[in-house]
Amino acid sequence: MCRVQTCGSSLFKLTQSKTTDINMADFGEILRNIGEFGLFQQLTLIALCFPNLFLSFMFASFIFIESDPERHCNTDWILRADPNLTTDEQLNLTLPREEDGTFSRCRMFVPVDRDIGSIREYGLNETSGCQSGWVYYNALYEATIVTDFDLVCDKANLVEVAQTVFLAGILIGSLTFGPFAESFGRKRATQIPLVIMFIFTVSTALCPNIYLYLVLQFFSGVGAGGYRVNCIILSTEWIGMSKRSWGVCVTQLFGALGQCVLAGVIYAIRDWRLAQLITAAPLGVVVIYIWFIPESARWLLNRGRTEEAKQLIVKAAAINKRSVPDSLLEKIAVKDTLNTGGIKIIFRSSLLTRYFFTVAFAWFSLNLALYCLYLNMGNFGLSIFVTQLLFGAIEIPANLFSMWLLEVFGRRVLFIATLLAGGLSCILILAVPQGYAVAVTSLAAASRFFLIWAGSVCSVFMQELTPTSVRQTATALGAISGRTGGLLAPLLNILAMYHWVIPITVFSSLTLVSGALGFLLPETRRKELPETADEAENNRNSTSTNTQSRPYPNATKL
């Protein structure tokens, strides 16, 4: 038995709590009133996705390179003794020969202060490395980082270093701007990385040496990594559940179109510095309009900034040619969902921890496979321009299918199917005899098709499995897991020097395992984004149908 005052107080608190719930409108209900994917969301999505069309170009400076171009040491010093020497005579007098009879590509005879007659009669014996650079010929490109910075012979490994540094920058960008977005907003977390990306892309095109190039590429990667993960979150949080996957898929689609355009641009230009400047030009336009992108109203409400959120909601409704009922605006209130503890919210729950690591591991595996294939496409046997175009073109149907089938079959089935199919396509490359370039390229393209598709599913899944207060951080950590896979890809490819099957076996096996782990995940199709850890654990059992059966989904009967 309880005392009358205590029972009365408890009853009062319960009634007050329920009354508070009545006075709050769920954000999903708000979107259904103002339009789940109207003109406002469409313009926001396209504006945020547009830079992804050119992010692919940032890989041009170290993807489109000849790692071992035809070359010889620059020996113009001998022309001081006889400026009328023919090219063949100059090479015969100044370059040693290899065992196969060809001129050395990394050695030269040490210059001497003798007349040409003495050189012809006695010859040169002492050799050294190239002292005045190299002369390149029969090159596929006019200028690459290899030819501009002489990344050959003892500096050849700096090509892999450049790839790794850029991917490390992407990883750091995801790590830095994920938590940044939770504290300072989705809008700022897209604006700042974009400005960084623009500044350092221009600077990279003008850098004079490889060491400054590595520094600039790192910061370009920081901007690219920070922007990519945050633009997806910002667009997704404005889109209703019926089209929520489009935030990820359209972003990926713009990237795929960029891959196709990149192949044509490099084929026509063949100069990495000019390619960098072409990348920077449209980014300069985006830097101007990015300041007018709206903040996420969902994030504003979560941070207690209700009035700012209301203004954006009214603005979105006006652009969508909808009206917001006054009764709905009055019910918009701050829900008590300001979870403390940051990302610890996920790790306090064994269920959410399992979801997080399952998706993160899949993200790691598929990116490891994608980058291993991408960075090695010059060795498939076909023209690198054809392979690049094919790799970009195959992403377009992958993303279109993802946009459609994610809403038809759901997330879980496609997560499992795409990863297993992608891993199987990769491992089948081992069964192809060496020299069958078309077969290898076809299997690589097929695996890329499924893995790009799987990447979209992972991004959607991570957002729908985590609460609003840590959604950006969780997605950023998932993206970091993927970037780590990309970072390790050049190192895994190096193991091919011991046996060519090692990289394929490793990334194929990891992809197949991550696909099998998909059975541990729940289905999240057409369920509202969870606001709290409890809702995330329960996986928002109220579906869109149940939600629409009540005027306001958070209203409860007293």
Side-chain angles (χ1 to χ4, degrees), residues 130-174:
C130 298
Q131 297 181 5
S132 303
W134 282 260
V135 175
Y136 300 94
Y137 56 94
N138 296 332
L140 185 61
Y141 307 102
E142 293 180 8
T144 69
I145 59 171
V146 172
T147 58
D148 277 10
F149 302 139
D150 292 329
L151 305 184
V152 292
C153 300
D154 58 338
K155 289 186 177 181
N157 62 335
L158 288 177
V159 175
E160 282 75 24
V161 172
Q163 296 171 351
T164 304
V165 164
F166 179 75
L167 295 172
I170 293 178
L171 187 151
I172 297 299
S174 301

Side-chain angles (χ1 to χ4, degrees), residues 260-295:
C260 297
V261 174
L262 174 60
V265 169
I266 299 299
Y267 181 81
I269 296 174
R270 309 201 183 194
D271 185 323
W272 75 273
R273 293 184 187 273
L274 187 54
Q276 290 284 128
L277 293 174
I278 288 175
T279 305
L283 290 180
V285 176
V286 182
V287 165
I288 297 174
Y289 76 65
I290 196 67
W291 303 99
F292 301 99
I293 295 293
E295 180 58 271

Side-chain angles (χ1 to χ4, degrees), residues 191-488:
Q191 293 169 338
I192 295 175
L194 188 67
V195 173
I196 292 174
M197 192 164 47
F198 172 71
I199 292 172
F200 287 100
T201 299
V202 174
S203 302
T204 300
L206 306 175
C207 70
N209 58 67
I210 181 60
Y211 303 106
L212 180 59
Y213 172 85
L214 293 176
V215 174
L216 297 177
Q217 278 292 87
F218 174 79
F219 285 105
S220 295
V222 169
Y227 181 80
R228 184 67 178 266
V229 68
N230 286 293
C231 74
I232 292 175
I233 295 291
L234 179 53
S235 59
T236 298
E237 291 192 343
W238 271 111
I239 299 175
M241 70 175 73
S242 63
K243 294 289 190 298
R244 188 186 300 130
S245 61
W246 284 39
V248 174
C249 297
V250 175
T251 301
Q252 303 273 38
L253 183 60
F254 271 72
L257 293 173
Q259 294 276 358
C260 297
V261 174
L262 174 60
V265 169
I266 299 299
Y267 181 81
I269 296 174
R270 309 201 183 194
D271 185 323
W272 75 273
R273 293 184 187 273
L274 187 54
Q276 290 284 128
L277 293 174
I278 288 175
T279 305
L283 290 180
V285 176
V286 182
V287 165
I288 297 174
Y289 76 65
I290 196 67
W291 303 99
F292 301 99
I293 295 293
E295 180 58 271
S296 166
R298 193 185 294 269
W299 176 81
L300 289 171
L301 289 173
N302 190 265
R303 304 298 293 183
R305 295 160 63 174
T306 311
E307 292 306 315
E308 294 176 60
K310 286 182 179 180
Q311 293 175 9
L312 285 177
I313 290 169
V314 171
K315 180 180 178 180
I319 295 175
N320 288 342
K321 297 182 179 179
R322 297 282 191 93
S323 58
V324 187
D326 292 336
S327 57
L328 182 62
L329 284 176
E330 292 174 0
K331 293 178 183 293
I332 297 175
V334 184
K335 296 177 71 175
D336 188 20
T337 60
L338 290 176
N339 303 294
T340 58
I343 196 65
K344 293 180 182 178
I345 293 172
I346 291 178
F347 300 121
R348 287 171 184 162
S349 165
S350 60
L351 194 61
L352 295 184
T353 301
R354 186 180 76 190
Y355 294 164
F356 174 80
F357 280 111
T358 300
V359 178
F361 178 66
W363 223 331
F364 169 84
S365 303
L366 69 89
N367 272 276
L368 180 66
L370 281 172
Y371 279 99
C372 278
L373 292 172
Y374 190 60
L375 297 176
N376 197 42
M377 66 179 174
N379 298 323
F380 291 164
L382 291 183
S383 165
I384 193 169
F385 300 112
V386 174
T387 307
Q388 170 63 31
L389 180 61
L390 180 61
F391 271 26
I394 204 70
E395 290 188 28
I396 297 175
N399 286 292
L400 291 176
F401 274 121
S402 186
M403 292 168 64
W404 171 40
L405 295 179
L406 271 172
E407 303 303 333
V408 176
F409 294 110
R411 285 52 163 153
R412 185 169 177 264
V413 171
L414 292 183
F415 180 91
I416 297 169
T418 53
L419 285 168
L420 292 179
L424 183 62
S425 299
C426 289
I427 209 164
L428 285 176
I429 295 176
L430 299 177
V432 179
Q434 294 189 22
Y436 287 78
V438 174
V440 171
T441 306
S442 298
L443 285 172
S447 63
R448 186 174 180 83
F449 172 84
F450 289 112
L451 294 176
I452 289 292
W453 190 346
S456 299
V457 180
C458 285
S459 185
V460 172
F461 235 151
M462 188 65 84
Q463 295 178 58
E464 294 181 342
L465 290 171
T466 52
T468 296
S469 61
V470 293
R471 182 172 299 123
Q472 187 78 11
T473 302
T475 305
L477 289 175
I480 288 169
S481 176
R483 301 309 182 192
T484 304
L487 185 65
L488 295 177

